Amino acid sequence: MKNLASKKFSKQFSIVLDSLEDAGYNNYWKILNAKDYEIPQNRERIIIVSIRKDLDSGAFDFPEPVELKSILFDVLEDEVDEKYYVDPSKVKALIPQLEKKEISNTVRASGGGSFDRHQWDLVAIRGD
């Protein structure tokens, strides 16, 4: 999560880096975006590379960004198992609640995960 490097979490981030340093590691960190490393997704993350001090030559550099040559469609599977789909009856039940703003426009997936499913996506599924 790139926010770890923000002012809000600077104390926690310092604790992480200081703890690694105290354990005998030199730390190199940078915010990298997946799209700059051949992943067709705009996702920034903090990457921390820790090298044991007795092994570190001080020459570590993060790789330079490379040109993105694919799009998301190129890596999506042609067939997806039905277990990854939201049950249509649950979607139908949610649409009226979303329209009345009785619930948030985020649908929670089973198993503790979550994914965003905005109202206009649900309307498109319904066929309106």
Side-chain angles (χ1 to χ4, degrees), residues 8-35:
K8 180 178 179 180
F9 296 107
S10 63
K11 183 177 178 181
Q12 291 85 347
F13 190 46
S14 291
I15 290 170
V16 169
L17 295 176
D18 291 345
S19 297
L20 287 165
E21 172 109 15
D22 291 346
Y25 291 88
N26 289 330
N27 302 297
Y28 305 88
W29 69 271
K30 190 172 184 178
I31 297 174
L32 301 178
N33 195 326
K35 72 178 183 178

Side-chain angles (χ1 to χ4, degrees), residues 61-75:
D61 284 318
F62 284 92
E64 291 297 318
V66 295
E67 181 183 351
L68 182 61
K69 296 178 182 170
S70 61
I71 60 173
L72 185 57
F73 184 79
D74 296 331
V75 297

Side-chain angles (χ1 to χ4, degrees), residues 28-45:
Y28 305 88
W29 69 271
K30 190 172 184 178
I31 297 174
L32 301 178
N33 195 326
K35 72 178 183 178
D36 295 329
Y37 298 93
E38 299 187 80
I39 306 295
Q41 185 177 38
N42 187 25
R43 183 165 292 221
E44 292 182 311
R45 294 290 185 256

Side-chain angles (χ1 to χ4, degrees), residues 82-95 107-110 115 117 122 125:
E82 284 190 32
K83 70 181 180 182
Y84 297 111
Y85 287 87
V86 177
D87 182 283
S89 64
K90 290 181 181 178
V91 172
K92 271 189 166 181
L94 286 172
I95 290 171
V107 178
R108 298 283 172 209
S110 61
F115 58 92
R117 194 55 137 154
L122 296 173
I125 290 169

